[in-house]
Amino acid sequence: MTIHRQAPERKRRIPRQARANETVALILEAAAQILEAGGLEAFTTNTVAERAGVSIGTLYQYFADKQAILFALGRQEVQSTLAELRRPEGHQTPEERVRYTVRAIINAFRGRMRVRKAVVQAILAQGTGIEAMTPVAAFIANYPRSLIPALTDEQVFVLSRALLGTIRAAVLEEQPFFRGRAFEDELVRLGASYLSSVIASTAGSTKG
Amino acid sequence: MTIHRQAPERKRRIPRQARANETVALILEAAAQILEAGGLEAFTTNTVAERAGVSIGTLYQYFADKQAILFALGRQEVQSTLAELRRPEGHQTPEERVRYTVRAIINAFRGRMRVRKAVVQAILAQGTGIEAMTPVAAFIANYPRSLIPALTDEQVFVLSRALLGTIRAAVLEEQPFFRGRAFEDELVRLGASYLSSVIASTAGSTKG
Amino acid sequence: MTIHRQAPERKRRIPRQARANETVALILEAAAQILEAGGLEAFTTNTVAERAGVSIGTLYQYFADKQAILFALGRQEVQSTLAELRRPEGHQTPEERVRYTVRAIINAFRGRMRVRKAVVQAILAQGTGIEAMTPVAAFIANYPRSLIPALTDEQVFVLSRALLGTIRAAVLEEQPFFRGRAFEDELVRLGASYLSSVIASTAGSTKG
Amino acid sequence: MTIHRQAPERKRRIPRQARANETVALILEAAAQILEAGGLEAFTTNTVAERAGVSIGTLYQYFADKQAILFALGRQEVQSTLAELRRPEGHQTPEERVRYTVRAIINAFRGRMRVRKAVVQAILAQGTGIEAMTPVAAFIANYPRSLIPALTDEQVFVLSRALLGTIRAAVLEEQPFFRGRAFEDELVRLGASYLSSVIASTAGSTKG
DNA sequence: GATGAATGAGTGTTCATTCAT
DNA sequence: GATGAATGAACACTCATTCAT
């Protein structure tokens, strides 16, 4: 959480003190604001530092490079989405489960759609880093796998990416219905119907 | 001087002569090769011109700016995918129809996955241009609409983006099973099951 | 002379036109002036470009990086010193020969001692590039070798480096007597006396 | 604020306590190691402090600036070389004397050729600081002056720099014969023959 | 139409140094 | 005395784009 780069040669300081963590938070918030206001184009290290009220040197004390800020932003959100996803315990029906998942993903980035869009763009814009988002996909697969242990890789992939991909498309296209109930309903239908179909087809057969 | 894009889609010259068309093709092919080899990072106007064997000035004679090359590449592919999608006439079952659609989309960019990835990244990387991909989405919606005229916006969106988004994710993540039959099967299942569910729920209700 | 980098990945343009060569000369002259006036410290790519009256981009069209300018300056001087060294044909006595050599080396960089100092510093500052100066050393060894074929590696080295090293020290220390006759006389004495000593000792012995 | 060097040789603190001396030694050793391993490029104050196991603040308690560390390293070696040079008393022949001097200089930095190279590069790389090495040169001149009081500045310079410069060149070029007897012999010949020549020429004439 | 030399705004990043704790 | 977080001036270098030839 405090380490912003697992990569080799970690040259950046690992903040141990309160002030340092505060600084990191300041920088991330500034980054989010700039992304929200001006998109990826306005996002320069100098601008972020300035907005955060710290020197450019301080920024580089905590982030190895520009990318690292974007990744940190993404990781932060993945973490809290994951935390949200892990919360429910007593949900019963698959449909309820799917709905809960869908809602948690939609609610990521707490409403800051522009920030979300910018982060998604930034991460997609480079081949590297897409994996940053896979923890959520992996989590989505957990539940179905508990129902159907024999789920194939392709099925896991399709189930998780259908939901994530559709939501992602809505984010990128800035669809107005994004936070509406109807959209959520359809996503739930998408997940639930696919799951049912898989279950039905798996019932009578055995996968090698 | 600082703004490099005057207006969207403003090609410098509408190529009418054979030679001009050839030059454009040369440039697009060079762009594809560079994208394939080095990704978005290696994609610079000077490099493309050099690879195409034309001067940088000539490149700018046909493309308003760097983006335009990427868009042209995307448009080219959207066109041929659309042409492919329009081809079938006698397909009967919804499932067959979905399979055909899925296959056509998977086959876009004729196997050049790296090029496809780069083009997708490039187009996603900027807010503008996502629409470039919507014609395919629009087409996907045509057939379902003919079955269920009362389809809501959200349903159209979810159906089309679930397929496109999942395929897109597979492209970006360079999934090895991308061109396999199993993946296609699951995409078909995804579309067909969702469609069935929508039909079932629409059957007994009336839309305002 | 026009290629400023033999290194792999030669990305920089090889100037073929008259204007281009002129530009290169302009840049080198500007570099020399800046070095002369402010030393290595004042030597920045932007400053050089500005002084040369070209844009920074143009500078980078011809020089791969900052170092390359310094190396080009050094190479240029090594070439002309070499040309000078090759000139004499009818010199007879070893002493005359030594004097001519010493004088040619002292006269390198045509009096611009500060430029010379900066170039020497720059080249010494990195392990790589010291060899850039060896052609002159190699040439110095030619004549002695024609007199005494059995010269050892150490003798060749000592003879050439004694002269070059002493002159280099005078440059780096900015000795005021650098261009004086007395200094030249002593260098000649150094070379001639060493050579005589070697000849004397070689006369009666046989090297393995 | 922009000028970081107030005055030459202004150590922050004259270490009087044992601990302080230890710290200084720690820093110098760290500096040597870093220079040895990564050359001048890797030599940054932060890196040195880290390697020394002290904070950057502490480093600055003992060294006015980055340069000062390099100078201290050079001075340390100059001191011990000087101590070595002063040792002999009963040497008689000029040649013996020259040999002893040459040997002492070659043995400086006790075998750490990489460190020596790096220190030499570092000190040469900046105009300032070359004088740091002159004490040795000055000492070299002492003995000849005792033989020939009328030695000119140029003669003193040539004699000392011929030896130092040749050795320096061997260090920079990492000549394999550096520690061999043959190299030493030739350096002795160089010094002795030059000295003889000067004596011979001085014998019959009178300098103004 | 074609060329390619020239442009230069813009940006990421480093690292010596300070000073509040 | 020691610490190390913060500073910020300084720079090298890129690359989309233009325009004189």
Side-chain angles (χ1 to χ4, degrees):
Chain A
M1 221 126 301
T2 43
I3 300 170
H4 301 93
R5 260 233 161 147
Q6 313 84 321
E9 301 265 351
R10 71 182 149 95
K11 342 155 65 172
R12 299 301 151 177
R13 231 155 267 292
I14 297 160
R16 255 164 299 189
Q17 275 139 52
R19 172 126 73 118
N21 280 313
E22 206 179 300
T23 302
V24 167
L26 233 44
I27 293 171
L28 289 179
E29 177 56 25
Q33 281 176 27
I34 286 168
L35 247 14
E36 175 103 44
L40 212 38
E41 197 176 355
F43 186 75
T44 71
T45 51
N46 286 287
T47 310
V48 170
E50 194 177 6
R51 177 69 146 257
V54 301
S55 74
I56 181 66
T58 297
L59 185 152
Y60 274 93
Q61 200 110 52
Y62 297 108
F63 298 92
D65 56 28
K66 200 189 179 186
Q67 285 296 348
I69 304 172
L70 258 358
F71 286 171
L73 229 34
R75 203 174 314 123
Q76 182 177 270
E77 220 50 48
V78 165
Q79 294 307 327
S80 72
T81 301
L82 237 34
E84 182 66 18
L85 285 172
R86 285 193 193 100
R87 188 125 61 86
E89 296 186 5
H91 284 286
Q92 285 111 11
T93 72
E95 205 196 282
E96 279 173 342
R97 182 78 196 212
V98 171
R99 180 172 300 277
Y100 187 85
T101 300
V102 162
R103 197 172 284 169
I105 298 169
I106 287 179
N107 287 335
F109 284 85
R110 284 277 145 201
R112 303 218 272 187
M113 237 184 129
R114 299 283 296 281
V115 176
R116 184 176 193 166
K117 182 180 175 181
V119 171
V120 168
Q121 283 179 340
I123 288 179
L124 292 183
Q126 54 214 116
T128 333
I130 299 175
E131 326 79 54
M133 288 162 155
T134 47
V136 172
F139 188 88
I140 294 177
N142 282 347
Y143 172 69
R145 262 199 223 276
S146 71
L147 295 180
I148 323 160
L151 230 46
T152 66
D153 283 354
E154 285 87 350
Q155 287 167 338
V156 166
F157 183 86
V158 168
L159 177 56
S160 57
R161 298 325 189 269
L163 296 178
L164 289 172
T166 306
I167 292 170
R168 186 185 286 174
V171 167
L172 291 173
E173 297 177 31
E174 302 187 50
Q175 292 294 350
F177 52 63
F178 183 67
R179 301 188 68 84
R181 173 75 188 211
F183 182 49
E184 182 186 304
D185 285 347
E186 295 307 321
L187 285 166
V188 170
R189 183 202 303 282
L190 180 73
S193 65
Y194 178 73
L195 213 43
S196 301
S197 171
V198 173
I199 290 171
S201 78
T202 314
S205 70
T206 310
K207 266 272 168 183
Chain B
M1 217 125 294
T2 45
I3 299 170
H4 301 303
R5 287 217 97 212
Q6 305 90 326
E9 301 280 341
R10 198 182 176 288
K11 265 196 263 174
R12 284 294 173 80
R13 193 139 265 278
I14 297 159
R16 253 167 298 187
Q17 283 130 45
R19 171 124 75 118
N21 277 314
E22 206 180 303
T23 303
V24 166
L26 234 42
I27 293 171
L28 290 179
E29 177 55 24
Q33 281 177 25
I34 285 168
L35 248 13
E36 177 98 40
L40 211 39
E41 197 176 356
F43 186 75
T44 71
T45 51
N46 286 288
T47 309
V48 170
E50 194 178 4
R51 177 73 146 255
V54 301
S55 75
I56 181 66
T58 299
L59 184 152
Y60 273 90
Q61 203 99 43
Y62 294 108
F63 296 92
D65 55 30
K66 196 191 183 186
Q67 284 298 344
I69 303 172
L70 258 358
F71 288 170
L73 227 35
R75 202 178 313 123
Q76 182 176 271
E77 220 51 45
V78 166
Q79 293 310 324
S80 72
T81 301
L82 237 34
E84 182 66 18
L85 286 172
R86 284 193 195 100
R87 187 124 63 85
E89 296 188 5
H91 285 285
Q92 285 117 8
T93 71
E95 205 196 282
E96 279 173 342
R97 183 75 194 212
V98 171
R99 180 173 300 277
Y100 188 85
T101 301
V102 161
R103 197 172 288 171
I105 297 170
I106 286 179
N107 287 335
F109 284 86
R110 283 277 142 199
R112 304 219 269 188
M113 233 184 135
R114 301 281 297 277
V115 176
R116 184 176 193 166
K117 181 180 177 182
V119 171
V120 168
Q121 283 180 337
I123 288 180
L124 291 183
Q126 45 224 133
T128 335
I130 299 175
E131 328 79 53
M133 288 161 156
T134 46
V136 173
F139 188 88
I140 294 176
N142 283 346
Y143 171 69
R145 262 200 223 277
S146 72
L147 295 179
I148 324 160
L151 230 46
T152 67
D153 284 353
E154 286 86 351
Q155 288 168 337
V156 166
F157 183 86
V158 168
L159 177 56
S160 57
R161 298 322 187 273
L163 295 177
L164 289 172
T166 306
I167 291 170
R168 186 186 286 173
V171 167
L172 291 173
E173 297 177 31
E174 301 187 51
Q175 292 295 348
F177 52 63
F178 183 68
R179 300 188 70 83
R181 174 74 189 211
F183 182 49
E184 182 185 305
D185 286 347
E186 294 307 321
L187 286 166
V188 170
R189 184 203 302 283
L190 179 73
S193 66
Y194 179 72
L195 213 44
S196 300
S197 171
V198 172
I199 290 171
S201 78
T202 314
S205 69
T206 312
K207 266 270 168 183
Chain C
M1 217 131 302
T2 44
I3 299 170
H4 301 92
R5 258 230 163 151
Q6 315 82 323
E9 300 265 352
R10 72 182 149 98
K11 340 155 66 171
R12 300 300 151 178
R13 228 158 269 291
I14 297 160
R16 254 164 301 188
Q17 274 139 53
R19 171 124 76 120
N21 280 312
E22 206 179 302
T23 302
V24 167
L26 233 43
I27 293 171
L28 289 179
E29 176 55 25
Q33 282 176 26
I34 285 168
L35 247 15
E36 181 84 34
L40 215 37
E41 197 176 356
F43 186 75
T44 72
T45 53
N46 286 288
T47 309
V48 171
E50 195 177 5
R51 177 71 145 255
V54 301
S55 74
I56 181 66
T58 296
L59 184 153
Y60 275 93
Q61 200 111 52
Y62 298 108
F63 297 92
D65 56 28
K66 200 191 180 185
Q67 283 296 349
I69 304 173
L70 260 355
F71 286 170
L73 232 30
R75 203 174 316 122
Q76 184 177 266
E77 222 50 46
V78 166
Q79 294 307 328
S80 72
T81 301
L82 238 33
E84 182 66 18
L85 285 173
R86 284 192 195 101
R87 189 126 60 87
E89 298 188 4
H91 284 286
Q92 286 115 7
T93 72
E95 204 196 283
E96 277 174 343
R97 182 78 194 211
V98 171
R99 181 173 298 278
Y100 188 85
T101 301
V102 162
R103 196 172 286 170
I105 297 170
I106 286 179
N107 286 335
F109 285 88
R110 282 278 141 199
R112 305 220 267 190
M113 235 182 131
R114 301 282 296 278
V115 175
R116 185 175 193 167
K117 181 180 177 183
V119 170
V120 168
Q121 283 179 339
I123 289 179
L124 291 183
Q126 55 212 119
T128 333
I130 299 176
E131 328 79 55
M133 289 161 155
T134 46
V136 173
F139 188 88
I140 294 177
N142 283 347
Y143 173 67
R145 263 201 221 278
S146 71
L147 295 180
I148 323 161
L151 231 46
T152 67
D153 284 353
E154 286 86 350
Q155 288 168 338
V156 165
F157 183 86
V158 168
L159 177 57
S160 57
R161 299 323 189 270
L163 295 177
L164 289 172
T166 306
I167 293 171
R168 186 187 286 173
V171 167
L172 291 173
E173 298 177 30
E174 302 187 51
Q175 292 294 350
F177 52 63
F178 183 68
R179 300 188 69 83
R181 172 76 189 212
F183 183 49
E184 182 186 305
D185 286 346
E186 295 307 320
L187 286 166
V188 170
R189 183 203 302 282
L190 180 72
S193 64
Y194 179 72
L195 213 44
S196 300
S197 170
V198 172
I199 290 172
S201 78
T202 314
S205 70
T206 311
K207 266 270 168 185
Chain D
M1 215 125 296
T2 45
I3 300 170
H4 299 306
R5 288 216 96 211
Q6 305 89 327
E9 301 278 341
R10 198 183 176 288
K11 264 196 261 172
R12 283 293 173 79
R13 193 138 265 280
I14 297 157
R16 253 165 298 187
Q17 283 128 45
R19 173 122 76 117
N21 277 314
E22 206 180 303
T23 304
V24 166
L26 234 42
I27 294 171
L28 289 180
E29 176 56 25
Q33 280 177 27
I34 286 167
L35 247 13
E36 172 112 42
L40 207 42
E41 198 176 356
F43 186 74
T44 71
T45 52
N46 286 287
T47 309
V48 170
E50 195 178 3
R51 176 73 145 255
V54 301
S55 74
I56 180 66
T58 298
L59 184 152
Y60 273 90
Q61 203 98 43
Y62 295 107
F63 296 92
D65 56 29
K66 198 190 183 186
Q67 286 295 347
I69 303 172
L70 255 2
F71 289 170
L73 225 37
R75 202 177 315 122
Q76 183 176 267
E77 219 52 44
V78 165
Q79 291 311 324
S80 72
T81 301
L82 239 32
E84 183 66 17
L85 285 173
R86 283 193 195 100
R87 188 126 60 86
E89 295 186 6
H91 285 287
Q92 284 116 5
T93 72
E95 205 195 283
E96 277 174 342
R97 182 77 194 211
V98 171
R99 181 173 299 277
Y100 188 84
T101 301
V102 162
R103 197 172 286 170
I105 298 170
I106 286 179
N107 287 334
F109 284 86
R110 284 277 142 199
R112 301 220 275 184
M113 230 183 138
R114 299 281 297 278
V115 175
R116 183 175 193 167
K117 181 179 176 180
V119 171
V120 168
Q121 282 181 339
I123 289 180
L124 292 184
Q126 39 229 136
T128 335
I130 299 175
E131 327 79 51
M133 288 160 157
T134 47
V136 173
F139 187 88
I140 293 177
N142 282 348
Y143 172 69
R145 260 200 224 279
S146 72
L147 295 180
I148 323 162
L151 230 46
T152 66
D153 283 353
E154 285 86 350
Q155 288 168 336
V156 165
F157 183 86
V158 168
L159 178 56
S160 57
R161 297 324 187 272
L163 295 177
L164 289 171
T166 306
I167 292 170
R168 187 185 285 172
V171 167
L172 290 173
E173 298 177 30
E174 302 187 49
Q175 293 294 349
F177 52 62
F178 183 68
R179 300 188 71 84
R181 172 76 190 211
F183 183 49
E184 184 186 303
D185 286 347
E186 295 307 319
L187 286 166
V188 170
R189 184 204 302 283
L190 181 73
S193 64
Y194 180 72
L195 213 44
S196 300
S197 171
V198 172
I199 290 171
S201 78
T202 314
S205 69
T206 310
K207 268 268 169 185

